[in-house]
Amino acid sequence: MTDHHAMPWDRPAPEREGLPSAWSLFPEELAAIGCPGSALETFRRLHRPWTWKGGAPDLGSGIRRWLEGVADLRLPRLAERQPSSDGSTKLALELADGRRIEAVHMPRRVRNPRVTYCISSQVGCAMGCTFCATGSMGILRNLQPGEILGQVLALMADLGPDRGHELTLVFMGMGEPLHNLDHLHRAIRLMCHPAGLGLGKNRITVSTSGLVSGIEKLSKLEPRPLLALSLNATTDEARSRTMPVNRVWNLARLRRALDDWAPRRGEKFCFEYVLLAGENDTEADAQRLADWLGDLRRGHNLNLIPMNEHAASAFREPGEDRVQQFSEWLKARGCFVTVRRSRGRDVQGACGQLVKES
Ligand code: SAH
Ligand code: SF4
């Protein structure tokens, strides 16, 4: 073979078709398909990038040869990186079929090893929110569990942090995570495995546009991650216009799903509200938003995100005065509010700007 020295994960796609990703299998599944040697140790070496050598897992040659025959050892490839002036880096990752997804690497600002990754769950998105760049591309496909986790491992291997406990994940990249719930949750179970990254479930936030059927399913799964909700409007009429999902599950129905979730100790909801100039930024909106939150005003977080403008949407960012004013209106009504200036704005890596033509 001419590519004798190439790593298996560098190989082109065809011969790998149909094989599961090596990163989608739990130790007991590795054992069940005949792992020679310790399946737990093999899992550990695959899932802990800080033990890798030269950007790839340090597997013994026998295990590697066996794995190559039964699994796909390719990870998403970092195809492009755009550092932003705020310290974050936007990455384009290329999948085995050549499709691209995006992720953002966001270190905490000062002398702190902790890093947050914003990662994707789908290539594109089917939900069609009118302010969102990803929404404008439609859905191309779901990510596989090994691809969801693979984003994390590829970023860690290249950019750090060096340990699982220094990592926080938010599913706020491309896609509606609850539209790909089975794969998402398998990836979460793999990430939380103590022999792998060992992430705590409260270090993972799944952001949804309000897919109530998915919220209800996720609420019963273990490990149960934190939930973020993208509200972005305060009447059904307005929300159905900008977020089509609201035509199926309206604001009242969504609110009930949160009561049913019944947050446990240490669990907080994160509410996201994209401020769209002249659309959802009046005092009446602030009042309705506070009313809708009701007892969730306290003890949970409300993030105001000024619209990140992009070519696929006519919505504009309100002026700074209005952003501050809207925040004050909510604070006066007892809400815990943060204005979140999206990171990576200068490289179009901010919320809703993760769009990539493949
Ligand atoms: N599909 C999920 C997660 C990905 S979108 C969701 O909708 O929650 C992540 C966040 O980016 C959401 O809160 C969404 O409302 C926000 N967003 C989308 N487009 C945006 C834009 N143009 N400017 C600012 N935030 C945007
Ligand atoms: Fe999809 Fe979220 Fe964008 Fe809506 S805001 S189109 S759900 S990615």
Side-chain angles (χ1 to χ4, degrees):
M1 269 168 60
T2 50
D3 66 344
H4 186 71
H5 295 292
M7 295 296 189
W9 35 90
D10 291 332
R11 286 201 191 140
E15 65 197 280
R16 306 284 88 186
E17 286 291 325
L19 293 180
S21 163
W23 284 274
S24 69
L25 302 170
F26 287 93
E28 43 293 5
E29 292 167 332
L30 289 167
I33 57 171
C35 181
S38 163
L40 191 63
E41 180 59 20
T42 302
F43 182 88
R44 197 176 275 129
R45 289 178 180 220
L46 283 167
H47 286 257
R48 297 183 159 180
W50 58 93
T51 68
W52 294 4
K53 300 263 157 60
D58 186 19
L59 303 164
S61 60
I63 299 265
R64 186 162 65 228
R65 227 172 304 118
W66 168 76
L67 254 182
E68 283 176 50
V70 296
D72 186 346
L73 271 162
R74 288 168 306 168
L75 284 171
R77 187 178 70 82
L78 292 191
E80 250 178 78
R81 65 179 76 200
Q82 289 175 265
S84 160
S85 54
D86 62 17
S88 61
T89 306
K90 181 180 113 169
L91 294 314
L93 295 132
E94 192 175 284
L95 306 169
D97 64 354
R99 297 273 190 217
R100 287 188 171 197
I101 50 170
E102 302 199 348
V104 188
H105 178 275
M106 297 174 284
R108 291 269 171 98
R109 270 149 233 248
V110 270
R111 284 198 214 151
N112 190 324
R114 289 195 175 279
V115 180
T116 300
Y117 295 172
C118 174
I119 58 174
S120 296
S121 53
Q122 299 180 308
V123 188
C125 182
M127 307 305 285
C129 306
T130 58
F131 43 82
C132 175
T134 307
S136 71
M137 67 189 280
I139 176 97
L140 295 174
R141 68 173 179 85
N142 279 333
L143 294 186
Q144 295 296 317
E147 292 175 319
I148 296 173
L149 175 59
Q151 293 171 78
V152 176
L153 301 177
L155 261 67
M156 274 186 100
D158 216 84
L159 294 157
D162 294 334
R163 291 286 189 279
H165 68 262
E166 292 163 346
L167 191 60
T168 302
L169 297 183
V170 296
F171 281 91
M172 295 183 187
M174 276 186 178
E176 165 53 55
L178 299 186
H179 196 203
N180 186 19
L181 182 55
D182 291 348
H183 294 175
L184 173 86
H185 199 259
R186 187 176 181 88
I188 289 175
R189 291 198 311 273
L190 288 159
M191 292 165 182
C192 293
H193 197 290
L197 289 174
L199 292 192
K201 57 188 176 177
N202 288 0
R203 305 220 73 93
I204 304 172
T205 298
V206 171
S207 177
T208 179
S209 57
L211 204 61
V212 167
S213 56
I215 295 172
E216 288 175 341
K217 278 188 207 139
L218 182 61
S219 76
K220 299 186 184 77
L221 296 178
E222 281 301 334
R224 180 166 94 163
L226 300 180
L227 195 64
L229 293 127
S230 304
L231 294 175
N232 307 344
T234 62
T235 66
D236 282 323
E237 187 274 318
R239 195 164 190 269
S240 292
R241 208 163 2 93
T242 53
M243 301 183 73
V245 66
N246 195 73
R247 298 171 200 163
V248 184
W249 292 286
N250 66 17
L251 281 162
R253 184 70 191 78
L254 178 57
R255 185 62 184 75
R256 255 188 291 137
L258 301 187
D259 282 334
D260 294 345
W261 180 282
R264 303 166 187 152
R265 197 201 301 263
E267 277 188 342
K268 281 182 182 184
F269 291 123
C270 174
F271 299 101
E272 295 159 281
Y273 192 87
V274 180
L275 279 166
L276 309 168
E279 169 68 21
N280 65 1
D281 61 350
T282 65
E283 185 165 11
D285 282 304
Q287 180 65 53
R288 283 189 294 265
L289 179 52
D291 289 343
W292 184 87
L293 288 169
D295 59 355
L296 297 176
R297 268 181 261 194
R298 285 173 200 84
H300 303 272
N301 299 315
L302 172 56
N303 285 331
L304 301 179
I305 315 169
M307 165 79 185
N308 292 308
E309 300 176 5
H310 57 85
S313 172
F315 285 119
R316 293 289 163 251
E317 174 182 0
E320 183 59 32
D321 289 358
R322 177 50 67 100
V323 173
Q324 289 312 323
Q325 176 71 77
F326 197 79
S327 164
E328 291 310 319
W329 284 328
L330 287 162
K331 285 180 187 160
R333 289 165 175 83
C335 299
F336 186 78
V337 194
T338 314
V339 176
R340 201 172 82 198
R341 300 272 157 208
S342 293
R343 300 187 65 185
R345 284 186 146 213
D346 54 342
V347 291
Q348 297 281 302
C351 305
Q353 293 181 312
L354 297 178
V355 64
K356 196 88 207 173
E357 303 305 327
S358 314

